[in-house]
């Protein structure tokens, strides 16, 4: 019996977007911190995962649900 070695591909998901993996040297927390410059709401996001499916390790950053402008206006009144 032979053993096959497979490399896991990491994917990072935030708010319906798949963010490119900056490299295996980065931990999921460091990836979150890196992308927080582009997506400031990630600064308070938690790391969910990784979840494994085949050769893919998916890490999710649950996003905040944005309130509609009408709902915000109603809350201000």
């Amino acid at each position: 019996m032979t053993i096959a070695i497979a490399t896991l591909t990491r994917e990072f998901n935030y708010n319906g977007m798949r963010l490119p993996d900056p490299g295996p040297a980065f931990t999921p927390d460091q990836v979150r911190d890196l992308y927080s410059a582009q997506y400031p709401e990630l600064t308070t996001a938690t790391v969910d995962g990784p979840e494994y499916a085949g050769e893919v390790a998916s890490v999710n950053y649950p996003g905040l649900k944005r309130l509609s402008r009408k709902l915000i206006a109603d809350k201000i009144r």
Side-chain angles (χ1 to χ4, degrees), residues 44-56:
T44 58
T46 57
V47 176
D48 186 18
E51 295 177 6
Y52 300 96
E55 296 177 7
V56 177

Side-chain angles (χ1 to χ4, degrees), residues 4 7-8 10 12-13 15-16 20 29 32 34 40 47-48 51 53-55 57 62 65 69:
T7 303
L8 282 176
R10 299 188 313 169
F12 298 91
N13 302 299
N15 203 22
D29 287 325
R32 179 198 57 208
L34 177 73
V47 176
D48 186 18
E51 295 177 6
E55 296 177 7
K65 294 188 178 182
R69 289 183 184 185

Side-chain angles (χ1 to χ4, degrees), residues 1 3-4 8 11 16 18 21-22 24 27 34 43-44 47-48 50 52 64 66-67 69 75-77:
M1 174 157 94
I3 297 174
L8 282 176
E11 67 178 33
R18 188 171 290 156
D21 185 358
T27 66
L34 177 73
T43 57
T44 58
V47 176
D48 186 18
Y52 300 96
L64 301 174
R66 299 179 188 234
L67 296 174
R69 289 183 184 185
K75 286 188 175 255
I76 294 174
R77 292 184 197 161

Side-chain angles (χ1 to χ4, degrees), residues 12-19 60-63:
F12 298 91
N13 302 299
Y14 169 67
N15 203 22
M17 297 179 289
R18 188 171 290 156
L19 305 172
N60 297 302
Y61 303 112

Side-chain angles (χ1 to χ4, degrees), residues 2 10-12 18 22 24 26 30 35-36 39-40 44 50 54 62-63 73:
T2 60
R10 299 188 313 169
E11 67 178 33
F12 298 91
R18 188 171 290 156
F26 291 88
Q30 290 172 328
Y35 281 111
S36 68
Y39 306 104
T44 58

